[in-house]
Amino acid sequence: MDLSDVFENLPDPGSYSFPDYTIPQGEPVMPIAVTDEELDAMLNLYETFAAVDPTGIDSNPFLATTTEFLQQTFGAPAYRPDEQLDDDIAAMLNDFADDLGGAEMGVVDATPKHHQTLYFFLVSAKGYHMAPHIRFDPDPDAVETLYRLYQRVTEQDYYLKRPSTVLE
């Protein structure tokens, strides 16, 4: 499938809202089947995605110096939203790999945080690909794999993992 076809199917960020998973007495999870090949494709996509510098700070010494000056002058933290997303994606992939446990295929427990991370990973990948100043040409099969996993999570009903009872 072509990248533009995959990105065309994404929900519009302006109209998309995440379901409310707030349920007392337990952790809501959506169990989905994942293969080792899918996890490898997502890992390769993540490595390509994390190597992109959307801010241009790493490649532009003037911008890096200006940013550092503003941080020192105004005490602003050295925080970049893309770094937080990279950390969230890495944590999600680690959780999925732990749940898979080296097997060829298994069931992983996707949490509401994983649902959000998958969505933001897809939307950010689309943004990187469409931005004229960023050269991001990921493997279309990897993006399609990411989209299929995202669809599995959104189509799956959730249940409570480790539910607590009235007696606890």
Side-chain angles (χ1 to χ4, degrees):
M1 184 181 275
D2 187 32
L3 278 177
S4 58
D5 293 338
V6 175
F7 288 143
E8 209 171 86
N9 294 329
L10 288 179
D12 176 29
S15 65
Y16 189 75
S17 63
F18 295 103
D20 184 17
Y21 296 110
T22 54
I23 299 177
Q25 296 109 10
E27 299 174 41
V29 294
M30 287 83 56
I32 58 168
V34 176
T35 65
D36 190 41
E37 289 176 2
E38 289 173 328
L39 195 58
D40 286 343
M42 293 236 327
L43 183 59
N44 292 335
L45 179 62
Y46 165 70
E47 289 172 356
T48 307
F49 181 83
V52 173
D53 177 26
T55 61
I57 289 176
D58 295 338
S59 59
N60 186 339
F62 177 74
L63 184 58
T65 305
T66 304
T67 304
E68 184 179 332
F69 172 75
L70 291 173
Q71 289 170 352
Q72 290 173 352
T73 304
F74 298 109
Y79 169 75
R80 285 175 33 184
D82 59 310
E83 290 176 349
Q84 181 62 50
L85 179 59
D86 290 349
D87 293 345
D88 290 346
I89 295 167
M92 177 188 67
L93 292 174
N94 285 334
D95 291 346
F96 286 0
D98 290 346
D99 286 350
L100 202 57
E104 290 292 318
M105 182 176 174
V107 175
V108 299
D109 289 331
T111 66
K113 177 71 175 171
H114 294 152
H115 176 193
Q116 293 176 357
T117 301
L118 285 167
Y119 178 75
F120 290 127
F121 190 10
L122 271 168
V123 170
S124 299
K126 177 182 180 179
Y128 284 10
H129 181 68
M130 296 182 78
H133 65 287
I134 300 174
R135 290 194 178 104
F136 180 64
D137 292 318
D139 178 23
D141 294 333
V143 174
E144 190 175 351
T145 299
L146 174 62
Y147 183 67
R148 282 195 315 263
L149 286 176
Y150 165 76
Q151 281 184 313
R152 283 186 215 155
V153 169
T154 57
E155 293 168 356
Q156 178 65 30
D157 290 332
Y158 65 93
Y159 77 99
L160 290 180
K161 184 176 183 179
R162 296 185 205 90
S164 60
T165 65
V166 179
L167 301 175
E168 291 181 353

